[in-house]
Amino acid sequence: MPKRTDISTILLIGSGPIVIGQACEFDYSGTQAAKALRQEGYRVVLLNSNPATIMTDPMSADVVYLQEMTAASIKEIVEKERPDAVLPTMGGQTALNLADTLHQQGYWEREGIQVIGVDIDAIHITEDRQAFRDLMERVGIDQAASRVAKSLLEAKEITQELAGGAGGIGGFKPIVIRPSFTMGGAGGGIVWTADEFDTKVTRGLELSPVHEVLIEECLFGWKEYELELLRDEKDNVVIICSIENLDPMGVHTGDSVTVAPQQTLTDPQYQAMRDAAIRAMRSIGTFAGGCNIQFAVDPATGRMIVIEINPRVSRSSALASKATGYPIAKVAARLAVGYTLDELPNEVTGTTSACFEPALDYVVTKIPRWNFDKFEGVDEVLTTQMKAVGEVMAIGRTFTESLQKAFQSLEQGHSGLDGMLPDRAVVRDRLARPYWDRLIHVRHAFRLGASVAEVHDVTKVDPWFLNQVRDLVTMEQATEGTPLAELDRDALLRLKRHGFSDVQIARMTESTEAEVREYRKSLGLTPTFRVVDTCAGEFEAETPYFYSTYDGAGDPEATETTRSDRPKALILGSGPNRIGQGIEFDYSCVHGVLAAREMGYEAIMINCNPETVSTDFDIADKLYFEPVFWERVADIVDLEAPDGIILQLGGQTALKLARDVVARGLPIFGTPYENMDLAEDRGKFSQILEELGIPFPPYGMAHTVEQAVEVAEAIGYPILIRPSYVLGGQGMRIAINKDEVAEYVANILTLFPDNQILLDLFLENAVEVDVDCLADGDEVWIAGVMQHIEPAGVHSGDSTAVIPPFSLSDSSIATIRQTVERIATRLGVVGMMNTQLAVQSKGGVETVYVIEANPRASRTVPFVAKATGVPVARIGAKLMMGAKLADFREAGDLESTLEGFAVKEPVFSWDKFPEVTKELGPEMKSTGEAIAFVDDITDEHIAKPFEMRNLYLSR
């Protein structure tokens, strides 16, 4: 049937701040859903408290409420906006739980608001572990042996039963605990020993909102799969994507390396899984929308069981959308308002129906990104509770090609599946339990002579995947020691088809990356670019969504993209989310793309993050889903020959490639690289501050532990220690004596060999200030001055920030503004700059010190934009491409709409790491943020953090 006409205004509930287990994939889904509903003529009212997202931009919905994610907020919005329907399936568990709370109160029914896209009773069935178990039994789908416990005593009795009754807890068999109504596996995990039983079960009971946990037989070693489905109100069901976890059961799917489409099921097994998935989806209510179902398969017997169902757009929906090109959230939103699948077109081909299931003629690999280095004492073993903060996705024509490209995307020093070979004992230890770097150690094990059978016995990873990794090692060993000139075309092509980078080949042949690149190009070996078309090439695709491959290398007919004669702007994305460089940078990248298009450029995006809006196929004129890795970027530059490259928006990911871009003589839009480097090089920057007469803390630089101790002794304590060219304060520490200096610097040099260490006198009892500004080469405009509530020493990303400042004197604020303007002018900034300053009061005199300046988009740009109503990122990007501030001022685009104060509140994921001490310092630890608008500084959003501002400051 066509869309519903009995509803006109729809309330869309977002997912709130980013936390581990519920990250920016829901921003992507929510943005897609809002766009689809508005295209259908509905008025969309949005609630979300996250300022860092595209979803909360004014362009995303008709009305955006940046308010707390509470039932009270929803009631307040309903009073004003009178929505006809609410769509809670795009905001993760946060949105579902809010919708459910109000459903239990009878609120939706009382207000005459229809819940669309989900059956609330279906939520209860899927989240209530016992109800779900009973339902699956009724429809004939096998499950793990399990029972629900509401107390520790009951949990012990159930565990004894699952162990066969022998010996009780004494004869312990590992079990899995899954708390009800939680997200990202919160509070769940494998209980391996009787000693940890009480602690883990009690924590699970505490974290479950209904205080119950499922005690389940441990399926460790079974293979795990996910299916993404869509269903319409006529009960048509399509399976969009199958995903196989490379890691066996026992690792949360968000922490697992995953592959699409599935690789190791037989056809009968896959058909049985499809049938079970469709049967399961049809059993949980009558809703029209998206659904994610997880299965486990015993590799020994083929027994298949269902693990869980999520009757909403899931974390994996973003991955499945990017993997297939099928816009799951857009289609799910349209199904929620009455369309059926056969009525909707496939947006990729433009000619086929949304009823057609995607077909893939390539392989997609997702690898999670963790930040264990941020949390001292963290347990790095992966369990059923998610610990990853982000992920990368790569596309190749073979599994090995996509796997190596995924490692190139991670930005952890890998140029493929590689790494220094450690001691045998280390490899054995890292394989015995599911650590985050297990796949690297699988490679090491094969280098050390282990067999596939031996590695499988320890890891339970399917032999098919292990054979693929062993093949890579065999090729690597066969090539090592061969001079580059002796590698013939076929041998080099074989390496490239399996994803080996020029850097890896250079290492094997004892040459340089540049020499390998030149040599392979002389042999006519350049990648082809294929389109992601949902139909394996069966129909012509309309979407400009591409990936590189060496399948068909050197054949101009094999490339499915052509270079247009339009002027081009190439935007380098920010890669995987991680603490210190999150969704805020993707937000700026999206605005960069939109700005380029508005300025008349063909906007070309390169990025590898499947969770984000920047990698949506209809944002840029062309999307290259590729690692932001020099070789891959250079291949695209060779093909597209852009008029300029934008480096300022993608955080350190893009900036780290600046030297290569400049060395190639490629044009940069915005601040010249030499000027950016002036700010990054502390020695040069300090000379500029001296020249301008601007105060800064005494500092020194060192390349060794001995030099660092010497510098620290000369400057005095406490002293701030930090590496160069990092984001999120990575590796930063405050030391109070020379022993700590030696320890911290040694740790930094282990993480970042050959790094230049910066040592600054730490300003005690100072107030820290963040300033974002825009400049066009002629004038500077201050976009926002933010005062931190926590003292200097707490990373700016972990601080509560208030705009405008609430306690600084007018003279200090004037000095801050003048200082920033002078620095931006001296650095020749064209685009954006963020400056961090500290105001220290001694004897009633306030002195403004400059800590650092970064001539690029900052983490705070989205917050300033949402606080003031000024599209800072969009304007900044346009300035890079030649626009002038005067034009925006004349148009009234620089006028702030802020009344009162806007507060940026950091959000932490401490609950995922209960063993870690809760402490704050110069290294960032927050995973997300919320925004609050308040009228007065006595409001609890300012008063409470002010009261606790010194509580967690540590070194």
Side-chain angles (χ1 to χ4, degrees):
M1 61 176 281
K3 70 179 182 189
R4 293 175 59 170
T5 54
D6 59 327
I7 55 177
S8 61
T9 298
I10 298 172
L11 173 63
L12 184 61
I13 307 176
S15 55
I18 286 172
V19 291
I20 292 174
Q22 187 168 285
C24 57
E25 56 270 35
F26 293 102
D27 172 53
Y28 163 73
S29 298
T31 303
Q32 269 207 333
K35 185 188 292 186
L37 294 173
R38 293 180 82 194
Q39 285 170 351
E40 294 300 332
Y42 295 103
R43 180 170 172 269
V44 174
V45 176
L46 169 69
L47 167 65
N48 200 353
S49 60
N50 190 341
T53 66
I54 288 293
M55 187 186 189
T56 53
D57 247 24
M59 64 181 181
S60 295
D62 295 283
V63 190
V64 176
Y65 284 91
L66 280 157
Q67 290 183 204
E68 288 179 271
M69 305 299 293
T70 62
S73 291
I74 289 176
K75 289 177 179 178
E76 187 184 320
I77 292 165
V78 166
E79 280 299 308
K80 291 179 191 169
E81 303 294 342
R82 307 310 308 171
D84 306 296
V86 58
L87 180 61
T89 54
M90 303 293 167
Q93 202 67 38
T94 299
L96 280 182
N97 286 352
L98 282 170
D100 183 39
T101 297
L102 292 166
H103 171 72
Q104 299 302 322
Q105 295 173 9
Y107 179 77
W108 303 122
E109 197 175 353
R110 205 161 51 246
E111 295 293 327
I113 298 170
Q114 298 180 52
V115 179
I116 58 173
V118 72
D119 183 331
I120 292 281
D121 293 328
I123 298 174
H124 273 274
I125 292 167
T126 57
E127 293 288 352
D128 184 311
R129 300 293 183 180
Q130 192 60 50
F132 178 64
R133 179 169 191 79
D134 295 343
L135 177 65
M136 291 300 102
E137 276 180 14
R138 283 201 300 277
V139 296
I141 299 175
D142 196 6
Q143 299 160 87
S146 63
R147 265 183 51 205
V148 169
K150 295 183 184 296
S151 68
L152 182 60
L153 177 62
E154 199 175 1
K156 287 182 177 179
E157 291 168 349
I158 294 165
T159 301
Q160 183 173 305
E161 283 174 29
L162 292 178
I169 294 292
F172 191 82
K173 284 186 180 177
I175 51 107
V176 173
I177 55 171
R178 301 183 188 276
S180 295
F181 291 90
T182 63
M183 179 118 189
I190 298 176
V191 182
W192 295 98
T193 65
D195 292 342
E196 57 188 2
F197 182 86
D198 287 14
T199 305
K200 286 190 173 180
V201 171
T202 302
R203 184 164 176 268
L205 288 166
E206 287 170 351
L207 287 178
S208 166
V210 292
H211 307 300
E212 64 176 36
V213 296
L214 188 75
I215 306 291
E216 185 177 87
E217 69 173 307
C218 183
L219 306 174
F220 183 73
W222 286 37
K223 301 197 292 187
E224 188 169 359
Y225 300 86
E226 288 184 84
L227 296 182
E228 287 288 329
L229 298 87
L230 283 170
R231 178 175 70 166
D232 64 24
E233 61 175 29
K234 285 185 180 173
D235 221 14
N236 296 312
V237 179
V238 290
I239 292 173
I240 306 304
C241 190
S242 64
I243 300 172
E244 178 167 358
N245 288 15
L246 186 145
D247 294 286
M249 283 288 292
V251 175
H252 190 281
T253 185
D255 278 347
S256 182
V257 175
T258 62
V259 184
Q262 64 78 23
Q263 301 290 307
T264 68
L265 290 175
T266 63
D267 190 55
Q269 283 178 319
Y270 182 50
Q271 292 306 322
M273 188 177 288
R274 285 174 55 92
D275 293 345
I278 292 168
R279 196 158 74 246
M281 189 177 189
R282 285 175 171 160
S283 73
I284 52 167
T286 57
F287 69 95
C291 185
N292 167 274
I293 306 186
Q294 294 169 32
F295 290 96
V297 174
D298 183 349
T301 64
R303 178 188 166 202
M304 179 185 74
I305 64 164
V306 66
I307 302 167
E308 66 178 19
I309 298 180
N310 294 302
R312 55 169 168 75
V313 172
S314 72
R315 182 186 310 99
S316 298
S317 300
L319 176 69
S321 291
K322 304 297 170 67
T324 61
Y326 191 107
I328 291 173
K330 272 189 189 172
V331 175
R334 288 189 167 105
L335 297 181
V337 294
Y339 281 107
T340 52
L341 285 161
D342 55 303
E343 293 173 323
L344 296 174
N346 178 326
E347 289 189 32
V348 174
T349 62
T351 54
T352 57
S353 159
C355 245
F356 278 67
E357 293 188 356
L360 278 59
D361 55 357
Y362 50 81
V363 181
V364 168
T365 302
K366 175 213 86 181
I367 301 181
R369 171 77 193 247
W370 294 271
N371 262 138
F372 291 128
D373 54 313
K374 297 279 185 183
F375 302 99
E376 206 171 314
V378 69
D379 181 1
E380 294 183 11
V381 175
L382 305 180
T383 68
T384 58
Q385 176 173 284
M386 187 173 166
K387 297 178 180 180
V389 295
E391 64 192 33
V392 298
M393 183 188 105
I395 311 174
R397 293 283 277 190
T398 61
F399 167 67
T400 47
E401 185 176 44
S402 72
L403 177 70
Q404 299 236 58
K405 285 175 72 178
F407 271 98
Q408 290 157 20
S409 304
L410 280 171
E411 296 176 54
Q412 291 180 312
H414 296 289
S415 46
L417 181 58
D418 56 15
M420 294 290 289
L421 197 62
D423 184 78
R424 280 177 183 274
V426 173
V427 176
R428 198 176 293 116
D429 176 61
R430 299 298 281 193
L431 290 180
R433 300 279 285 273
Y435 284 97
W436 61 273
D437 56 356
R438 174 157 66 178
L439 202 48
I440 296 165
H441 288 285
V442 166
R443 178 247 184 201
H444 293 335
F446 290 135
R447 295 260 335 171
L448 291 167
S451 69
V452 167
E454 286 170 329
V455 177
H456 170 69
D457 187 52
V458 176
T459 64
K460 307 303 180 195
V461 172
D462 190 279
W464 186 87
F465 293 114
L466 297 177
N467 274 303
Q468 299 286 310
V469 175
R470 189 192 58 181
D471 287 349
L472 290 177
V473 170
T474 302
M475 278 183 268
E476 198 179 345
Q477 290 174 323
T479 309
E480 283 169 349
T482 305
L484 182 61
E486 291 180 20
L487 269 187
D488 63 22
R489 189 181 190 280
D490 287 347
L492 191 53
L493 177 57
R494 183 165 181 254
L495 289 169
K496 297 306 286 184
R497 277 183 169 166
H498 286 278
F500 284 99
S501 66
D502 290 348
V503 174
Q504 287 171 293
I505 295 167
R507 207 177 292 136
M508 293 180 232
T509 58
E510 296 178 9
S511 53
T512 66
E513 179 184 10
E515 288 167 346
V516 173
R517 183 176 187 82
E518 190 180 332
Y519 179 63
R520 71 169 167 79
K521 287 176 80 171
S522 75
L523 297 176
L525 288 181
T526 54
T528 61
F529 291 90
R530 305 293 177 90
V531 69
V532 174
D533 60 9
T534 76
C535 59
E538 192 174 343
F539 300 94
E540 192 79 19
E542 292 183 352
T543 54
Y545 175 12
F546 305 101
Y547 67 96
S548 73
T549 176
Y550 275 83
D551 182 51
D555 176 8
E557 298 295 312
T559 285
E560 296 171 350
T561 179
T562 53
R563 184 180 181 279
S564 74
D565 55 8
R566 292 175 58 195
K568 295 173 181 58
L570 177 66
I571 296 96
L572 295 184
S574 54
N577 270 31
R578 75 224 65 168
I579 293 174
Q581 186 171 301
I583 192 176
E584 307 89 350
F585 291 93
D586 194 76
Y587 170 93
S588 290
C589 287
V590 171
H591 277 282
V593 167
L594 298 174
R597 296 180 79 169
E598 288 170 11
M599 294 280 286
Y601 288 96
E602 181 179 19
I604 300 168
M605 183 71 189
I606 303 177
N607 206 359
C608 54
N609 187 339
E611 304 176 284
T612 61
V613 176
S614 74
T615 52
D616 201 356
F617 66 74
D618 63 356
I619 291 293
D621 292 300
K622 276 188 175 179
L623 167 66
Y624 287 95
F625 209 112
E626 288 289 299
V628 190
F629 178 78
W630 174 243
E631 177 187 332
R632 307 293 176 181
V633 171
D635 289 333
I636 294 164
V637 167
D638 285 349
L639 177 74
E640 295 287 356
D643 295 77
I645 298 172
I646 294 181
L647 297 170
Q648 284 188 39
L649 304 177
Q652 285 294 343
T653 300
L655 283 180
K656 279 189 281 195
L657 298 181
R659 195 171 276 115
D660 291 309
V661 169
V662 170
R664 280 278 298 272
L666 300 171
I668 293 175
F669 280 135
T671 310
Y673 166 70
E674 297 75 18
N675 297 18
M676 287 190 203
D677 199 51
L678 284 177
E680 285 284 0
D681 186 309
R682 189 52 195 263
K684 293 174 186 173
F685 184 58
S686 297
Q687 286 171 9
I688 287 171
L689 294 179
E690 280 177 0
E691 172 196 317
L692 296 173
I694 294 172
F696 56 93
Y699 81 99
M701 292 179 291
H703 289 91
T704 66
V705 171
E706 294 74 21
Q707 288 173 4
V709 170
E710 199 176 308
V711 169
E713 290 288 297
I715 291 173
Y717 299 96
I719 196 160
L720 181 65
I721 303 166
R722 53 183 167 160
S724 303
Y725 297 97
V726 296
L727 254 177
Q730 190 175 1
M732 284 172 65
R733 294 289 185 272
I734 300 167
I736 57 172
N737 56 52
K738 66 181 183 181
D739 292 338
E740 289 189 349
V741 170
E743 179 191 340
Y744 297 154
V745 170
N747 290 342
I748 289 171
L749 291 174
T750 303
L751 272 175
F752 308 105
D754 305 321
N755 197 284
Q756 179 173 267
I757 312 292
L758 311 175
L759 299 100
D760 300 79
L761 181 67
F762 175 63
L763 300 172
E764 292 189 274
N765 303 313
V767 174
E768 197 163 332
V769 179
D770 246 318
V771 181
D772 279 317
C773 75
L774 301 179
D776 61 10
D778 296 324
E779 65 169 315
V780 180
W781 175 72
I782 304 293
V785 180
M786 292 152 274
Q787 179 179 345
H788 297 186
I789 290 180
E790 288 77 9
V794 173
H795 190 279
S796 59
D798 289 348
S799 295
T800 309
V802 183
I803 182 172
F806 60 92
S807 69
L808 296 177
S809 67
D810 290 344
S811 64
S812 285
I813 294 170
T815 302
I816 287 165
R817 298 176 76 93
Q818 289 162 10
T819 299
V820 171
E821 287 169 7
R822 291 173 67 207
I823 292 170
T825 302
R826 174 63 181 81
L827 289 176
V829 171
V830 179
M832 307 185 201
M833 185 178 83
N834 172 269
T835 310
Q836 288 173 30
L837 311 98
V839 182
Q840 193 175 50
S841 182
K842 282 186 178 177
V845 178
E846 288 185 342
T847 305
V848 176
Y849 294 91
V850 169
I851 300 172
E852 65 180 26
N854 296 295
R856 54 165 171 77
S858 72
R859 189 179 302 101
T860 47
V861 162
F863 167 66
V864 172
K866 304 296 167 64
T868 62
V870 177
V872 179
R874 185 96 57 109
I875 293 171
K878 287 182 176 179
L879 297 180
M880 294 173 212
M881 291 176 274
K884 291 294 177 184
L885 279 165
D887 299 329
F888 295 105
R889 185 178 290 105
E890 204 174 297
D893 294 338
L894 303 182
E895 294 298 318
S896 172
T897 57
L898 178 61
E899 296 175 4
F901 298 90
V903 186
K904 175 187 74 79
E905 302 172 310
V907 175
F908 300 87
S909 295
W910 298 117
D911 61 316
K912 299 293 181 182
F913 308 116
E915 69 278 8
V916 172
T917 306
K918 190 189 291 188
E919 58 184 14
L920 300 177
E923 181 158 9
M924 185 172 165
K925 295 181 178 178
S926 62
T927 53
E929 63 192 47
I931 192 171
F933 292 93
V934 303
D935 296 325
D936 195 86
I937 61 170
T938 57
D939 187 282
E940 65 169 7
H941 289 284
I942 294 177
K944 189 174 180 186
F946 187 80
E947 180 189 322
M948 300 173 69
R949 65 192 181 280
N950 296 307
L951 187 60
Y952 297 117
L953 176 61
S954 177
R955 295 198 295 277

